[in-house]
Amino acid sequence: MTVLPTALDTNSPEYAANRSTMVEKLAELETAHAQALAGGGEKYVTRHRKRGKLPARERIELLVDPDTPFLELSPLAAWGSDYAVGASLVTGIGVVEGVECLITANDPTVRGGASNPWTLKKALRANEIAFANRLPVISLVESGGADLPSQKEIFIPGGALFRDLTRLSAAGIPTVAVVFGNSTAGGAYVPGMSDHTVMIKEQSKVFLGGPPLVKMATGEESDDESLGGAEMHARTSGLADHFAVDEHDAIRQARRIVARLNWRKAQTDQGPAEPPKYDEEELLGIVPGDLKAPFDPREVIARLVDGSDFDTFKPLYGPSLVTGWARLHGYPVGILANAQGVLFSEESQKAAQFIQLANQRDIPLLFLHNTTGYMVGKEYEQGGIIKHGAMMINAVANSKVPHLSVLMGASYGAGHYGMCGRAYDPRFLFAWPSSKSAVMGPQQLAGVLSIVARASAAAKGQPYDDEADAGLRAMVEQQIEAESLPMFLSGRLYDDGVIDPRDTRTVLGMCLSAIHTAPVEGARGGFGVFRM
Ligand code: COA
């Protein structure tokens, strides 16, 4: 065994300070999560219950197997926007009749469950996850369709929702729709494009146009039930495969559908999962509040992987990036973790080699971010930092094994790309409350702007106002700082959620399990040209 040692002193003032900063950030995170859980707020939730209906998360709770966890994704979607936190949609991975499924549920307490631009992004991300990992999709539908005032943002791209459902089906991935209420216009294509549909007596309403629209279009008088009720769709149109008498019955029937899917995971034998030797609780005290202070990512790895057992690859070469092999909840993983923040040529080349090795052996990769980017300066440019960084980015971009990314601290500049940032399609990406991500640090960015403005004034022969410059720098710094924070980025769907560091092992374990629903096959070649 190659058990990692620890040098973390849990009695030190640094540990206490790091921990207290993290605990403060976790409290802010909890407040934001509480907003998502509150949905449309007291008034609408009470009205919904009075109608004898279950809230979205209770529907999910009844759908998944008893005592199994639900990994909710993007709970902070729309944070910092004009729309409700959570974006009127709940998405996540849960186990139904022993099958890991991608579950989505409209939250009808938020503007009638209508979809705004963030809802669309969240739903499309859920579909991506289902596709990449071959997870059956269960849609719990009750929505007013497009959020009409924002229709210009969602109508045209929104067609992808229905395209995805049929492409999932074409790829042999099962899709199930359970309609709890309104599913009008475009929304009607959710049951329309799903492999299996369940509708509920006197509750489901599935029509292209409701009675007022029909009256306007053709003059025909109609009512909800005859146009799109469950009874009609089950007996007459054939759109409903299953007729349920109430919500509980509908959920029971959805579970029976999944039980009969004959769905098998590509890999089930993940091996024994020994817990780490060190307490996960200590993950709260590792990352400093000031990200300029370095920390040893091996302290994190030691609290994430099975038995804290880690075989380092090339420890003496490019030591600012830790690379090595471990198991996590029994699944093999290759880990790349930033140590000193900066990526030099050696680190980049080491990463490119390590990623190729993982692809040869079909081993998923875990990227633990704390990087300020690739090294700049004459010496490094002359030493080929661009071509070496490009090698790493080439390897990450063309690697075919599943990638998981966790933003622990800084994730700046091209370092974010090389470490498999969002644009490099990691299967899952989570952020710790301590993380920050931007093109560069706020001070550096404000400084660069100031230097450029000064040079521009000099070129025009104009005087430079130093006082205004200081004010502008402070303002820019503040703005960039706010835009680098994980809740802001999560609101924009740039991650799959902000998580408590103590939950990292559990979250990654659930992701790895979901990932192994599809075969894990690395690239044997197929990389771009590596410039040597
Ligand atoms: N866009 C924007 N806001 C919407 C909306 C939509 N598509 N659907 C509902 N809302 C708003 C309502 O204006 C209301 O806001 P308010 O409480 O501030 O007045 C809130 O959401 C709740 O709607 P309400 O009608 O009170 O809820 P309900 O549960 O009784 O009915 C619907 C829900 C979805 C059946 C009903 O609102 C409806 O028919 N909406 C329009 C559906 C439609 O035709 N959509 C176009 C599809 S492309």
Side-chain angles (χ1 to χ4, degrees):
M1 289 276 275
T2 34
V3 174
L4 283 168
T6 184
L8 190 71
D9 178 2
T10 53
N11 295 315
S12 68
E14 291 80 34
Y15 178 89
N18 297 348
R19 189 177 190 285
S20 97
T21 309
M22 185 68 91
V23 167
E24 246 171 65
K25 289 181 176 161
L26 282 171
E28 287 168 26
L29 180 64
E30 205 174 309
T31 308
H33 281 154
Q35 284 176 304
L37 291 177
E42 181 77 36
K43 176 179 145 195
Y44 290 97
V45 174
T46 308
R47 186 179 75 167
H48 186 70
R49 282 194 190 281
K50 271 203 184 128
R51 290 170 170 172
K53 292 184 160 192
L54 293 165
R57 285 184 179 77
E58 286 182 27
R59 288 173 180 162
I60 294 173
E61 222 171 299
L62 288 169
L63 178 66
V64 299
D65 293 351
D67 299 324
T68 60
F70 177 66
L71 177 62
E72 189 169 334
L73 300 165
S74 323
L76 300 183
W79 188 94
S81 77
D82 293 338
Y83 299 98
V85 177
S88 70
L89 182 72
V90 184
T91 63
I93 297 171
V95 180
V96 178
E97 293 285 350
V99 178
E100 284 154 294
C101 296
L102 190 295
I103 301 168
T104 72
N106 300 114
D107 184 345
T109 69
V110 185
R111 285 167 81 86
S115 296
N116 60 57
W118 303 111
T119 321
L120 177 61
K121 274 201 159 193
K122 184 166 171 173
L124 293 176
R125 173 63 189 150
N127 288 347
E128 251 176 44
I129 291 173
F131 245 121
N133 302 296
R134 295 189 64 80
L135 302 177
V137 172
I138 307 177
S139 312
L140 308 183
V141 186
E142 180 165 17
S143 163
D147 183 279
L148 293 172
S150 63
Q151 69 83 28
K152 71 175 190 302
E153 319 272 1
I154 54 173
F155 165 60
I156 290 172
L161 283 176
F162 319 120
R163 174 206 67 188
D164 282 356
L165 281 175
T166 190
R167 284 190 180 163
L168 283 158
S169 179
I173 301 168
T175 50
V176 181
V178 187
V179 187
F180 289 86
N182 211 63
S183 184
T184 316
Y189 290 100
V190 176
M193 310 308 293
S194 294
D195 291 350
H196 306 267
T197 59
V198 183
M199 293 194 199
I200 305 172
K201 187 180 172 190
E202 289 160 17
Q203 222 176 287
S204 308
K205 282 180 205 161
V206 187
F207 30 60
L208 288 184
L213 192 145
V214 171
K215 173 87 180 149
M216 287 295 295
T218 65
E220 187 190 10
E221 293 288 347
S222 54
D223 60 80
D224 283 353
E225 273 306 301
S226 64
L227 268 184
E231 191 89 40
M232 186 286 283
H233 282 307
R235 290 184 195 283
T236 314
S237 79
L239 182 61
D241 305 318
H242 302 265
F243 178 81
V245 293
D246 59 20
E247 295 202 7
H248 286 82
D249 187 33
I251 292 165
R252 184 190 63 77
Q253 297 206 35
R255 287 178 52 78
R256 291 311 306 152
I257 292 168
V258 178
R260 296 287 185 196
L261 288 177
N262 192 26
W263 195 245
R264 297 189 202 107
K265 280 170 79 85
Q267 189 189 325
T268 47
D269 55 333
Q270 83 264 31
E274 193 191 330
K277 299 269 183 238
Y278 310 102
D279 194 351
E280 288 167 78
E281 183 69 30
E282 292 165 1
L283 287 169
L284 295 187
I286 296 174
V287 184
D290 177 4
L291 291 180
K292 286 197 193 76
F295 63 91
D296 187 348
R298 274 165 291 229
E299 297 290 0
V300 174
I301 296 169
R303 286 159 184 82
L304 291 185
V305 303
D306 294 356
S308 305
D309 185 13
F310 183 66
D311 283 285
T312 316
F313 169 77
K314 273 193 163 166
L316 302 179
Y317 188 85
S320 180
L321 183 77
V322 173
T323 46
W325 311 104
R327 296 185 84 89
L328 205 155
H329 273 284
Y331 295 100
V333 281
I335 300 176
L336 300 93
N338 305 110
Q340 299 301 323
V342 183
L343 290 160
F344 298 91
S345 287
E346 290 80 358
E347 280 74 8
S348 310
Q349 288 173 300
K350 175 163 107 171
Q353 183 188 357
F354 186 71
I355 292 166
Q356 289 180 75
L357 286 174
N359 274 273
Q360 291 280 19
R361 316 274 175 261
D362 303 328
I363 298 174
L365 288 169
L366 168 61
F367 296 80
L368 298 173
H369 294 228
N370 182 31
T371 178
T372 47
Y374 292 95
M375 190 64 194
V376 295
K378 191 166 65 185
E379 182 190 339
Y380 304 98
E381 298 285 5
Q382 292 181 357
I385 187 69
I386 297 174
K387 69 178 191 183
H388 295 132
M391 276 181 172
M392 179 170 171
I393 294 173
N394 174 354
V396 171
N398 293 302
S399 159
K400 294 275 185 291
V401 291
H403 297 171
L404 295 164
S405 274
V406 176
L407 274 52
M408 308 181 294
S411 187
Y412 287 122
H416 176 73
Y417 304 156
M419 290 295 288
C420 200
R422 189 57 142 182
Y424 289 77
D425 297 328
R427 292 287 178 95
F428 295 93
L429 185 151
F430 295 96
W432 285 3
S434 45
S435 66
K436 284 184 193 171
S437 199
V439 65
M440 63 179 89
Q443 285 162 355
Q444 290 83 345
L445 194 145
V448 170
L449 269 183
S450 158
I451 291 168
V452 173
R454 196 179 292 272
S456 161
K460 290 184 207 135
Q462 289 167 350
Y464 195 65
D465 184 342
D466 283 310
E467 210 173 295
D469 178 79
L472 185 75
R473 276 174 81 143
M475 202 181 74
V476 169
E477 254 185 70
Q478 226 173 30
Q479 181 201 327
I480 302 304
E481 168 77 15
E483 290 173 358
S484 315
L485 296 177
M487 291 205 284
F488 175 83
L489 296 171
S490 206
R492 303 176 80 80
L493 275 298
Y494 288 146
D495 59 37
D496 296 311
V498 185
I499 58 169
D500 184 326
R502 292 169 293 189
D503 294 334
T504 310
R505 177 176 158 81
T506 305
V507 168
L508 294 178
M510 289 176 77
C511 291
L512 282 165
S513 178
I515 279 170
H516 284 83
T517 307
V520 172
E521 283 159 11
R524 311 279 193 265
F527 291 92
V529 174
F530 286 106
R531 179 173 280 103
M532 298 299 176

